[in-house]
Amino acid sequence: MPNDNQANSSAGSVSKVGRYSIDLTGPRSHTLVIQPGVGSLSIGPSQLGKKADLHVAPDALIDWSVFDVFATPAGSPWPRFLRYTGSDVTFFEWAQKRPIEEMTWTPILNVDTLVDASQSNLYSLHIELDQSMSPLSMKLPKRHFRLSVSGDLARFSATGDLPYSLTLAPRTSRRKNDTPFLLPDLGELHQVTSLTLHNAPLGQPISLECLNRFPNLNSLSLWGNFCDVELLAHHAGLTNLELRFMPDLGDLPTLNAWPLLDRFIAYNVEEIAGKRLKQQMKTRANTRPWTDHASVSQLRKPEWWMTEFGRPFSSWPKRLSKLANEAYNDAQATLAEARSFAEAEAAITAFTVRFNTFKGIETTEREDLAEAVWQLSQSDHLISQPITEELAQCWFDAARDY
């Protein structure tokens, strides 16, 4: 094992790969390992395991200036991309002197927090609000930057200069039949001109009624499941429209609804609407040629959505996803023949216990499996009564060791 070097050289002078002792939370508190070609660094609590390169307690105070001595071989500040999970907001002050190319922050806040980032040099800021239980208010940077906010958007508010691009990924449920999700009031952020909305392809739909609060949009990108798509006709000023992984475009207005459109992308959309859009795109080109990229591609049949996104294993590693889908298929086939609750319980129990020997079943995977059990309980069977979610969850909890 090579010895650690103490990172105490002059600013921006350390660019070689190796191991360095750094005073992150105290004298020589951490060992930083720089690997060839890696420009990112993740800092967070020990619960993150290997997802964090450096472990710090959520409430630990961090001396961000320890990274001032590190640079890329080309001379740029290193790390280029930072990911941090915790409550220390002093990196915004650090960024006043040392620009951050991309910062992903998962706040863990126990009190209402106000952050003044107005003087911070941040080119791209991602805020993930899934672990914080307290509201976060932010005064945004006075510079050209991108802002992305995901999770519980109701806990976030912002004032100050507008980002040139805003991405929102609200936390929605996995149930596509749930009441459509409505974005909370986002205050001054409603004045942005470029907006991206992210959602799961088969999750709870997001109502596009929320776009009525965004009067200045000229660029809109939609990913996933949305409803009230006919309301897009209200935004005749769009010059860019992107539709990705959208399984339902039946009510989409014709392309003539956006006379200023220069750029249009439909990618991985349902087949019937996709064919219609292809024809509309060609027709539009005859009267006003497209001046930017325009394409409709990867048209998908209904069964593709269920195979790729309908089950909760799509984000699992390929090998585990294959095993999980095999177990799901077996349980679904057994349930199709079930004529009693006892037979249904046996099928779901057999599915559940197959994962008791799997390594890496943590909170996220357990939630995925619980969702799979609910889906199985709603699949075809020969029992004269429905299987309730509570009953299926009870069978799942009784059989699992994870």
Side-chain angles (χ1 to χ4, degrees):
M1 181 68 68
N3 294 327
D4 296 348
N5 301 307
Q6 180 68 19
N8 56 7
S9 305
S10 58
S13 63
V14 179
S15 59
K16 294 182 179 179
V17 299
R19 297 168 57 92
Y20 297 90
S21 291
I22 57 175
D23 304 337
L24 191 66
T25 56
R28 303 178 71 94
S29 61
H30 289 76
T31 297
L32 173 65
V33 180
I34 298 181
Q35 299 177 348
V38 177
S40 62
L41 181 68
S42 178
I43 301 172
S46 58
Q47 300 93 288
L48 292 178
K50 293 182 179 180
K51 294 179 180 179
D53 303 302
L54 299 173
H55 289 156
V56 298
D59 58 350
L61 293 178
I62 294 174
D63 182 1
W64 298 94
S65 67
V66 298
F67 299 114
D68 290 347
V69 302
F70 295 99
T72 67
S76 302
W78 186 97
R80 295 175 55 198
F81 313 113
L82 265 167
R83 174 178 286 273
Y84 169 57
T85 300
S87 62
D88 183 22
V89 299
T90 60
F91 65 84
F92 288 105
E93 182 179 350
W94 176 53
Q96 294 179 20
K97 299 178 181 179
R98 191 276 202 189
I100 301 178
E101 187 170 338
E102 185 172 312
M103 182 76 188
T104 300
W105 180 33
T106 302
I108 301 180
L109 305 174
N110 297 318
V111 295
D112 294 8
T113 301
L114 173 62
V115 173
D116 185 353
S118 60
Q119 304 301 317
S120 301
N121 292 314
L122 292 161
Y123 298 94
S124 184
L125 174 61
H126 307 267
I127 300 175
E128 301 177 344
L129 290 168
D130 280 331
Q131 295 194 37
S132 181
M133 299 303 294
S134 298
L136 170 66
S137 301
M138 180 173 291
K139 193 171 183 181
L140 297 174
K142 293 180 179 179
R143 62 162 297 118
H144 203 56
F145 79 108
R146 299 192 304 269
L147 175 64
S148 172
V149 187
S150 64
D152 187 357
L153 302 186
R155 299 188 185 277
F156 181 76
S157 61
T159 58
D161 290 27
L162 293 173
Y164 77 83
S165 174
L166 174 64
T167 297
L168 300 174
R171 184 175 64 214
T172 56
S173 82
R174 300 187 185 211
R175 310 290 164 79
K176 63 182 180 180
N177 295 326
D178 281 358
T179 303
F181 181 88
L182 296 173
L183 286 181
D185 186 353
L186 295 169
E188 296 179 18
L189 289 176
H190 291 143
Q191 303 306 312
V192 296
T193 59
S194 177
L195 176 66
T196 297
L197 291 177
H198 272 267
N199 192 23
L202 293 182
Q204 176 188 16
I206 297 174
S207 171
L208 292 182
E209 182 182 347
C210 65
L211 295 182
N212 293 334
R213 294 177 174 175
F214 294 85
N216 301 326
L217 290 181
N218 56 46
S219 176
L220 177 64
S221 179
L222 301 175
W223 299 62
N225 193 21
F226 295 87
C227 63
D228 303 319
V229 293
E230 70 277 3
L231 298 180
L232 288 175
H234 295 171
H235 299 272
L238 290 177
T239 60
N240 174 54
L241 178 61
E242 302 172 19
L243 311 171
R244 291 182 170 89
F245 295 96
M246 298 183 68
D248 185 5
L249 290 173
D251 295 327
L252 184 72
T254 65
L255 292 182
N256 292 333
W258 307 286
L260 303 179
L261 210 59
D262 289 322
R263 188 172 189 270
F264 176 70
I265 294 174
Y267 175 73
N268 277 307
V269 297
E270 53 107 346
E271 184 179 42
I272 296 175
K275 290 179 178 178
R276 188 168 65 243
L277 286 170
K278 276 191 173 183
Q279 184 57 50
Q280 292 174 14
M281 197 173 68
K282 293 178 181 178
T283 302
R284 213 302 295 269
N286 292 332
T287 57
R288 186 169 74 87
W290 297 92
T291 58
D292 203 333
H293 183 75
S295 68
V296 178
S297 59
Q298 300 292 4
L299 308 188
R300 303 299 188 178
K301 296 182 181 296
E303 55 268 25
W304 182 83
W305 300 97
M306 292 308 301
T307 302
E308 293 297 316
F309 299 104
R311 297 180 184 179
F313 314 121
S314 58
S315 63
W316 286 31
K318 187 173 182 180
R319 183 184 66 83
L320 293 181
S321 177
K322 182 176 183 293
L323 294 173
N325 278 304
E326 289 174 356
Y328 189 101
N329 291 339
D330 291 345
Q332 194 172 47
T334 303
L335 272 167
E337 304 296 325
R339 296 179 179 274
S340 67
F341 283 133
E343 293 177 349
E345 180 181 5
I348 287 179
T349 297
F351 169 80
T352 303
V353 299
R354 287 177 72 162
F355 299 91
N356 282 342
T357 57
F358 275 43
K359 294 181 179 180
I361 303 295
E362 304 294 344
T363 301
T364 300
E365 291 76 18
R366 183 171 66 249
E367 291 173 349
D368 291 340
L369 290 169
E371 176 66 15
V373 165
W374 176 81
Q375 290 183 7
L376 286 168
S377 72
Q378 304 303 300
S379 63
D380 293 337
H381 55 73
L382 302 176
I383 308 171
S384 58
Q385 303 176 57
I387 302 173
T388 66
E389 181 175 358
E390 293 75 17
L391 186 57
Q393 184 67 41
C394 182
W395 296 339
F396 173 66
D397 288 338
R400 64 182 175 87
D401 290 339
Y402 37 88

